[in-house]
Amino acid sequence: MATFVLQSMGCEVAAINTVNFMLDPVMGDQGKLYVSDTVVPVYKTLLPHADLILPNQFEAETLTDLPINSLSTLANVIRHLHNTHSVPHVLITSLVLPDTPADTLTLIGSSCTASSQPRLFRITIPHLPCFFSGTGDMFAALLITRLREVSAADGLLNTRSWMPADEIPATETPLARATEKVLASMQVVLEKTIEAMDEELKEGMKSGLSGKTDLDGEGNQDNGEEKRMYLARTKASEVRVVANAQALREPDLRDGKYRAVEVVVEELGGEERDRS
């Protein structure tokens, strides 16, 4: 999928290597590892070599051994990644914080200053009620492409890690602007995928998918129908990238739904707020 996304955006496949090192530490989610725990220290050794990392909330906590349960603790995690592991760009996905509105997900990112201080931005998106297959690859490929595009426009491709000057505010960094475009594209593709999935499953029901039963060796009904429905839903939820390539190329940002907002976490008193 990553190759198709890059080609749809008019990029050479080699562009996937134009960031020195982007790390998507695929380890787990929802508080659980789905890899061997021996993988965790390996990812930790890679952090100082990464220009950009894309962990989800659980992976960020696992990499830093720090909890995330508020904007303040989230800021501590990003500060730790900037300072302790020298990661220039951090984007944490699938965040659910106490102030996260129901039926939404939060992404918070930062491109650090020359003194490794965070520049935090936040984007909140609708949480779509479906499990999709392939979103991680699509997100990473789109982000590489858009980050390079915005960095090129800002004349940063010859700058180490494409780092913007310290005076650039959080919401105007290439990472923030690239993320806005990526999310605008992805939401359209995922919404179209849900529409196509629902239609495909309806057609499956009409063709008798739910009307079949299986018998085991002793003449008892088994769960064959349940398995068929699971496989049908899994297949139907594959992201419809090819059919919606235009959304990848031309994200619609006109309504401002995916606009980045600066996050301010006061050091004294622990006050947290977004600055529109």
Side-chain angles (χ1 to χ4, degrees), residues 1-210:
M1 181 183 293
T3 298
F4 176 81
V5 169
L6 289 167
Q7 291 172 337
S8 296
M9 302 286 289
C11 297
E12 298 292 335
V13 175
I16 202 165
N17 295 317
T18 54
V19 176
N20 290 341
F21 184 17
M22 185 195 74
L23 177 63
D24 186 359
V26 180
M27 295 186 292
D29 202 0
Q30 304 291 324
K32 295 181 180 179
L33 286 173
Y34 42 64
V35 298
S36 167
D37 56 9
T38 60
V39 172
V40 177
V42 176
Y43 273 125
K44 289 183 177 181
T45 64
L46 295 175
L47 288 175
H49 305 287
D51 294 283
L52 166 65
I53 63 170
L54 303 174
N56 61 33
Q57 180 171 341
F58 172 70
E59 291 162 347
E61 292 174 320
T62 302
L63 289 171
T64 59
D65 297 310
L66 296 170
I68 297 175
N69 47 43
S70 65
L71 277 178
S72 294
T73 55
L74 182 280
N76 288 338
V77 166
I78 292 181
R79 188 177 295 110
H80 180 85
L81 289 165
H82 285 327
N83 287 317
T84 304
H85 298 288
S86 303
V87 182
H89 305 284
V90 177
L91 183 60
I92 302 179
T93 64
S94 303
L95 284 160
V96 179
L97 301 173
D99 66 339
T100 301
D103 301 320
T104 65
L105 291 174
T106 292
L107 294 85
I108 293 183
S110 171
S111 294
C112 67
T113 64
S115 59
S116 298
Q117 292 304 303
R119 282 179 280 193
L120 299 170
F121 67 86
R122 174 178 187 158
I123 303 176
T124 300
I125 60 174
H127 175 59
L128 299 176
C130 181
F131 170 80
F132 299 99
S133 175
T135 53
D137 287 346
M138 179 168 64
F139 184 82
L142 279 172
L143 190 61
I144 290 173
T145 306
R146 291 302 185 189
L147 183 57
R148 189 182 192 282
E149 173 189 80
V150 178
S151 297
D154 289 355
L156 296 173
L157 292 188
N158 293 323
T159 302
R160 183 179 179 184
S161 300
W162 304 344
M163 290 300 294
D166 284 2
E167 60 268 22
I168 303 299
T171 56
E172 294 301 318
T173 60
L175 181 61
R177 287 151 56 205
T179 304
E180 291 174 341
K181 291 184 176 183
V182 169
L183 294 176
S185 291
M186 285 196 64
Q187 287 297 108
V188 171
V189 173
L190 296 182
E191 288 168 0
K192 294 293 186 182
T193 297
I194 289 178
E195 292 175 8
M197 180 186 71
D198 290 343
E199 190 62 31
E200 185 174 325
L201 291 176
K202 286 179 183 177
E203 289 301 316
M205 296 291 284
K206 289 179 183 178
S207 64
L209 178 63
S210 65

